[in-house]
Amino acid sequence: MPTAVAPKTFKNYIDGEWVEPRGTRTIEDRNPANRDEIVGIFPASDKTDIANAVEAAKQAFGKWRLTPAPKRAEILFRAAELLVERKEDYARDMTREMGKVLAETRGDVQEAIDMTYLMAGEGRRQFGHIAPSELPDKFAMAVRAPAGVAGMITPWNFPMAIPSWKIMPALICGNTIVLKPAEDTPLSTYNLVQVLEESGLPGGVLNVVFGDGPDAGAPILDSPDVTLVSFTGSTEVGRIVSKACAPTFKKCHLEMGGKNIIIVMDDANLDLAIDSAVWGGFGTTGQRCTAASRVAVHKKVYREFVERFVEKVKKLRVGDGLDPKTDMGPCINEQQLNTVMKYVEIGKNEGAKLATGGHRLDAGALAKGWFHEPTVFTDCNAKMRICQEEIFGPVVAVIPFDSFDEAIEIANGVQYGLSASIYTRNVNNAFRAQRDLETGIVYVNAPTIGAETHLPFGGTKNTGNGHREAGLAALDFYSEWKTVYFDYSDRLQRAQIDNVE
Ligand code: NAD
């Protein structure tokens, strides 16, 4: 709802203080369901602000790395408790700035809660290795050591969950942080930082600088004092990040785009597969890296699937995510809406059949937002651009196939490798699929979305560069293995030489 009160102006968080940016430029955080509503005004920071944040993080690292991990964990436990208390308020803030429906923004905050508890628990674990030495009177072990200052750049579609996926493991491992959240959704990251500050996180350990990519993101990558970088966003920007990290050999973690698929075999539970395709394709308005933007259906059940799937999609109610009757919210901004409309034209020109949707929605109350109809193309060829390129909106392409092998070929025939799903009751095909699908995440009889925080998350090919978010895998990114040998023999012992007779 528009408010007569002037929107709140926010500041950066550097060295434990909320500080004005150096410049005067600002970014308006607007509600994509009603662009007249300004949710907040945030700084458009520049390289000087980033330099200050990096310096604060560098100074704080000396003390934070020596703070025992179980003590760091106590702060995280308190933060998780506060997030639980404020879940509803933070979910509402998120719907206002991001547009997705309340059930989903509650899920986003819950993901941050889960990740914070998970990593708090790791404060008393972070186990290393102890191994026997090949030499007598010698002790060998490997322990985790903090890496240093972690730079983080995050996208708008999971504005609290994704920052938490990076912040919590980095903190528990003893790193300090400079984070630049997405310009479209700064409030949810602000809320997360607020909670960590109130939970007793020492100044300088986490620094947040708001702004756009080139001005506030790029200087993080260029800073010689940033040791590692974790980026989630488009493959296009990921490539820029990767290149920028190379000259200073920063450890660089990239989570990028996807073109995920649901495969529906002829023996699938069709009711379940249809419900899942609706949720996987149109949840978060299709703006999930794991969105099921392709559905491949066996020709034996194709006609029935298409008919019933399209019927269900037509019934989706589009509107403001704060309205409990809404199933699907708006696109995040005008640019994203234009991308969706561009791909609808591409699909039509490629000869795909537009089965439903295909238009912007701008009648009545929807005129003030970036709404688009849930759109389904059927009879698609897997090589069409709408089946190859990430659209990141409410557009699903349905592709018919003849055999299991063909379905796997279609699934793997894209540049991305994030998430894939198969609906079948045939256990042999289910096992073959989980082995042969070239994605970081595979679901059997569940949609492509629905990752849980205690398991590794990430993708192959142009989706990722080999690292994983979440689970214990996150600890491997945010720590360095340090191998330590203790020789208590009091003599020179040469490995590989003195023990060979
Ligand atoms: P984006 O790449 O446009 O922006 C991501 C972040 O990078 C933003 O904070 C932006 O300000 C920053 N940025 C942009 N240009 C930059 C530059 N030159 N230097 C440094 N930083 C820069 O992506 P988006 O539109 O925010 O998010 C959508 C994309 O994110 C989709 O491709 C989606 O698949 C992907 N995504 C991936 C995952 C995953 O885990 N694989 C999760 C969520 C989103």
Side-chain angles (χ1 to χ4, degrees), residues 166-248:
K166 299 183 191 304
I167 291 172
M168 303 310 165
L171 288 180
I172 208 67
C173 289
N175 306 286
T176 56
I177 298 167
V178 176
L179 167 67
K180 190 213 78 72
E183 45 274 52
D184 280 307
T185 53
L187 180 59
S188 297
T189 311
Y190 167 87
N191 285 338
L192 185 62
V193 176
Q194 185 77 43
V195 152
L196 282 160
E197 183 191 32
E198 286 179 46
S199 302
L201 194 69
V205 172
L206 170 62
N207 305 276
V208 177
V209 180
F210 299 100
D212 63 32
D215 288 334
I220 297 179
L221 314 173
D222 296 337
S223 169
D225 293 320
V226 172
T227 318
L228 52 86
V229 165
S230 182
F231 165 83
T232 301
S234 61
T235 299
E236 192 189 353
V237 176
R239 197 165 277 122
I240 296 173
V241 171
S242 182
K243 283 184 185 160
C245 287
T248 43

Side-chain angles (χ1 to χ4, degrees), residues 153-157 162 180-183 212-214 217-218 221 231-234 237 240 255-258 289 390 392 418 457 463:
I153 299 178
T154 52
W156 46 264
N157 64 338
I162 289 178
K180 190 213 78 72
E183 45 274 52
D212 63 32
L221 314 173
F231 165 83
T232 301
S234 61
V237 176
I240 296 173
E255 291 290 343
M256 302 172 286
C289 51
E390 186 182 51
F392 223 56
L418 185 51
F457 179 97
T463 296

Side-chain angles (χ1 to χ4, degrees), residues 30-32 35 156 182-184 212-214 234 236-237 285 287 330-344 360 369-372 390-395:
R30 284 183 183 261
N31 183 344
R35 58 182 188 273
W156 46 264
E183 45 274 52
D184 280 307
D212 63 32
S234 61
E236 192 189 353
V237 176
T285 319
Q287 301 173 119
C331 297
I332 184 69
N333 54 33
E334 186 175 17
Q335 191 190 344
Q336 194 56 49
L337 176 67
N338 287 338
T339 301
V340 170
M341 295 198 294
K342 181 186 89 180
Y343 274 102
V344 167
R360 180 181 179 178
W370 309 121
F371 295 97
H372 194 278
E390 186 182 51
I391 301 172
F392 223 56
V395 182

Side-chain angles (χ1 to χ4, degrees), residues 38-59:
I38 301 176
V39 177
I41 295 176
F42 286 82
S45 309
D46 66 16
K47 61 179 191 231
T48 310
D49 304 303
I50 291 292
N52 293 340
V54 171
E55 184 58 27
K58 193 175 154 193
Q59 293 306 324

